[in-house]
Amino acid sequence: MGSTIQNICEGNPVPHEAVDRSCRWPVLFLLLKAVGWLVISLGIGLISSIKMHSPGFWSNCEWVTFGRLRPAFFTALIYGFAIQASLGVSLWMLARLGKTKLVAGASAVIGCGLLNFGVAIGVLQIMAGQSTGFTWMEMPRQAAALVGGGFFLVAVSAFATLRHREMKPLYISHWFLLTALFCFLWFLVQGYVMGVAFPVRGIMQVVLNAWYTTGLQYLVLMPFALAIAYFLLPKLIGKPVYSTQAAGFGFWILILFAGWSALSRVPQGPVPRWMLAVGSSCKFMLIMVAVCFAVNWFMTLRQAKKASSAEPAWSFLASAVWAFLAGTVLEVFGATDALLSRVAFTTYSLGVTHLILIGFVAMAIFAGIYYVVERVLEDEWKSRGLIQAHLVLTLLGVLLTAGAYLFGGLTVGPKLNLQSGAFLDVARSFTPFLGTATLGYLLLFAGQLCLVWNLGSTLMAATSDERAEFCSWCCGESASAKKARASA
Amino acid sequence: MNRVPILFLAIFAAVTLSFWGVVVMPQLEVGNAGVLTTMDTGVTYPLARNGHAAQGAEVYRANGCAECHTQQVRPKGMGTDYERGWGKRRTIAEDYLLEDSVQIGGLRLGPDLSNVGQRQPGVTLHLQHLYNPRVTVPQSTMPRYTYLFNKRPLAKGEKPSPNALPANTEPGYEITPKPEASALAAYLVSLNAQSAVFSAPFPIIKTNVTAKAAVVSPVK
């Protein structure tokens, strides 16, 4: 019982400070760019949300029409922020878990550059009307190739660090990280080859798209977030994770059944019924992933003397865990016949997506960012107040957006799916919920500005010496400095 | 699970297995579907769209219309798609066979468009709706697509050009569709997935024959 990170070390463990210093620039590079994309994506999300209930808003500009902004929002959020920030935190976790310095950091920095170039081109092309038309893979193929190439280069650094680890036993987070690193490339290549380059025909495009979105959600983003959660839990609480076996069981259930659950997302008419039946049954198994995690989480907290931590990462991680449990339950039950017959084609699934993407994945990443940045900069966060503001605004934002979409789906769903009144009434019934979601987006956007401000000021304070050194190297010594040196 | 290659192989095997079930098996079952023959007229179904409407499909995809509109009619008993008049039969795999990029959609903030060409066959009505949805449907929540049109103020007594939208669209202005708008309208008019095919017969919505009366009593 009980897994510990402090296992027997087989090689020469590198001290924590040296590990952190080796990760400093590659990790900061990835995290800074990711936070930039987060603000951009939520800005786009805010405008697109306004357009959902105010159709006249900026209607004469084709670049910001709703149908282009919504995919641009998800592209920037998933590829620009979630994937990139997860990579940043993962590199540091892999180095720390292996008690080794980061290997091939230059590859990660080049990869980060490529990835950002790809996402920027992708988002601009979507807004220019060159979307592929497939959910979450709207980026044209050139942009996707850049994103895939960039991810590969960062993954090279991750795998090299894993290979050179001094501590040989693998920890729970390793399993999830390996899954996410491998699956992203697998799904991206397969999705774009079979969906865009040499597209399958007809309805199979929809099935392939369902496979892609499910893979990205359950086998890339969720494993990244779970790896962060399993890493931070013992660190913050000071106790080892309660049961490695339970974590292992959850892991196997996830990789065995998550892919199959894609079949629950295929349309109800044009494909054989067995697909939906298999899909929703496999999706039901995913509840076990949440159960295994919940067992580990609550039992570990019970073992600890104090079930919380003074670290800023703690509140974010705890919120992420609740969103994960709620989101998984809502997603699983949303695929059952009883609920699907009410909420099909409503904003319900949008609500679940927001809860999982922002409430769980982004919150877990924030916990990672708050934990990692302090260590790689060897300096504390500049403002505790801004961290609190970030937490409160993001929490309220998630509750309002996800809550409004979920309740909107549950309230309007019966009107849409069980009654046959005028459709216009159905469409107008969504409006108050869509308006509430806009308020949520506004809070989310404001919250991320707090993060940017805090990150920027912490970074400036921590790197003041380096910046001064760089300036003197770049511009030569100033006259006053020369005089001071001469007099000394 | 302490060895990376074994763990990696296990992940690879699990994902490959689900790929086989989710993509390969359905590809073998519905991916190889071919064209059908309609039951009533005996013609080939589906027929390829004309070039103009095919261009419109690109405009539909580029502007993300599928973010709010679906193109799927569910089978009878699932939802109320028939009752709303969105189709005479459920949509089948063959309906999407010749689409370059299938825009099936997943959210209905607007009505289903599988058969909108059959419900509203007038191109002008679609163009007016695209320019300002509130002109054709006063309560509509759809955004305006003014960037698909050219707008010019009319001098006093000047008549709009023949291809301009009707005067009530925006009085005092000549509104002419750009090629993208005309193509999109042609695409919308072409949306019609109602051919009678063997695999999806038209369901009987209402009938006067009760189950009891339909039972033939055995001859004594």
Side-chain angles (χ1 to χ4, degrees), chain A residues 131 205 415 417 419 421 428, chain B residues 61 74 80 84 102 139:
Chain A
S131 149
Q205 292 181 2
K415 262 190 191 177
N417 293 307
Q419 299 163 17
R428 294 198 74 80
Chain B
R61 176 188 53 72
R74 286 173 289 177
T80 49
R84 282 188 200 283
V102 177
Q139 299 279 300

Side-chain angles (χ1 to χ4, degrees), chain B residues 34 56 69 74 97 99 124 129 141 168 218:
Chain B
H69 292 281
R74 286 173 289 177
L97 200 60
E99 303 280 351
T124 309
H129 194 69
T141 54
N168 69 338

Side-chain angles (χ1 to χ4, degrees), chain B residues 135-199:
Chain B
V135 169
T136 47
V137 185
Q139 299 279 300
S140 173
T141 54
M142 182 172 137
R144 295 179 67 175
Y145 290 86
T146 45
Y147 58 84
L148 295 176
F149 296 83
N150 291 315
K151 180 178 168 183
R152 185 176 69 85
L154 287 172
K156 207 173 177 186
E158 186 189 354
K159 285 194 172 175
S161 68
N163 66 336
L165 297 187
N168 69 338
T169 311
E170 195 164 338
Y173 287 92
E174 181 197 69
I175 315 290
T176 44
K178 290 181 183 171
E180 295 95 311
S182 307
L184 183 55
Y187 169 70
L188 291 171
V189 168
S190 79
L191 286 173
N192 190 348
Q194 301 214 109
S195 299
V197 289
F198 180 74
S199 53

Side-chain angles (χ1 to χ4, degrees), chain A residues 89-414:
Chain A
V89 178
S90 305
L91 286 183
W92 180 83
M93 284 197 296
L94 284 169
R96 269 289 192 103
L97 285 169
K99 294 192 183 300
T100 179
K101 286 187 180 177
L102 185 77
V103 182
S107 168
V109 172
I110 297 168
C112 170
L114 268 185
L115 195 144
N116 280 286
F117 188 46
V119 177
I121 289 182
V123 169
L124 285 174
Q125 281 188 304
I126 292 169
M127 289 171 73
Q130 291 168 30
S131 149
T132 63
F134 297 119
T135 309
W136 290 9
M137 47 189 279
E138 287 96 349
M139 278 188 293
R141 63 182 96 171
Q142 305 85 345
L146 284 169
V147 170
F151 186 98
F152 177 76
L153 287 179
V154 182
V156 165
S157 171
F159 281 113
T161 308
L162 183 70
R163 196 176 153 73
H164 287 90
R165 68 191 187 280
E166 300 291 346
M167 199 169 79
K168 294 301 174 194
L170 295 180
Y171 178 61
I172 303 164
S173 298
H174 278 121
W175 315 336
F176 287 104
L177 286 181
L178 262 176
T179 307
L181 290 170
F182 165 70
C183 285
F184 180 77
L185 290 170
W186 168 279
F187 278 90
L188 192 77
V189 171
Q190 210 159 48
Y192 273 87
V193 169
M194 294 182 70
V196 181
F198 307 100
V200 285
R201 287 191 314 160
I203 198 68
M204 275 309 293
Q205 292 181 2
V206 181
V207 178
L208 186 81
N209 196 197
W211 157 255
Y212 183 84
T213 53
T214 308
L216 207 56
Q217 180 176 328
Y218 284 106
L219 294 170
V220 180
L221 297 171
M222 202 174 261
F224 267 136
L226 284 175
I228 295 173
Y230 271 119
F231 179 87
L232 288 183
L233 174 62
K235 291 264 182 205
L236 295 173
I237 289 296
K239 285 278 173 190
V241 168
Y242 174 70
S243 164
T244 312
Q245 286 84 353
F249 184 66
F251 170 75
W252 287 116
I253 295 283
L254 183 71
I255 63 165
L256 279 172
F257 290 97
W260 287 89
S261 75
L263 289 173
S264 68
R265 292 185 179 182
V266 295
Q268 290 178 318
V271 296
R273 286 302 299 272
W274 70 261
M275 289 194 196
L276 276 164
V278 170
S280 42
S281 322
C282 289
K283 190 166 256 184
F284 211 81
M285 291 299 288
L286 296 181
I287 215 109
M288 288 310 294
V289 181
V291 169
C292 291
F293 184 79
V295 165
N296 262 335
W297 176 263
F298 292 111
M299 293 307 283
T300 310
L301 291 192
R302 243 178 97 173
Q303 286 180 339
K305 280 184 193 143
K306 219 174 101 194
S308 68
S309 163
E311 285 262 0
W314 174 253
S315 316
F316 287 89
L317 189 64
S319 319
V321 168
W322 284 107
F324 167 56
L325 299 180
T328 310
V329 170
L330 286 169
E331 168 110 30
V332 168
F333 283 95
T336 55
D337 257 0
L339 200 52
L340 190 64
S341 60
R342 297 173 78 87
V343 299
F345 303 124
T346 66
T347 50
Y348 181 88
S349 61
L350 209 52
V352 175
T353 306
H354 276 70
L355 193 58
I356 290 180
L357 277 189
I358 305 176
F360 169 46
V361 176
M363 279 299 221
I365 291 171
F366 293 147
I369 290 176
Y370 280 114
Y371 194 82
V372 172
V373 169
E374 264 186 348
R375 279 152 184 85
V376 294
L377 281 179
E378 296 166 312
D379 203 352
E380 286 199 348
W381 283 92
K382 209 77 182 129
S383 163
R384 288 263 162 176
L386 280 176
I387 297 179
Q388 277 304 316
H390 180 213
L391 175 72
V392 172
L393 287 171
T394 311
L395 264 181
L396 282 175
V398 169
L399 283 176
L400 277 179
T401 36
Y405 287 145
L406 286 168
F407 279 109
L410 289 167
T411 315
V412 185

Side-chain angles (χ1 to χ4, degrees), chain A residues 438-449:
Chain A
T438 296
L439 191 62
Y441 269 107
L442 197 63
L443 295 178
L444 280 173
F445 185 69
Q448 305 330 305
L449 292 182

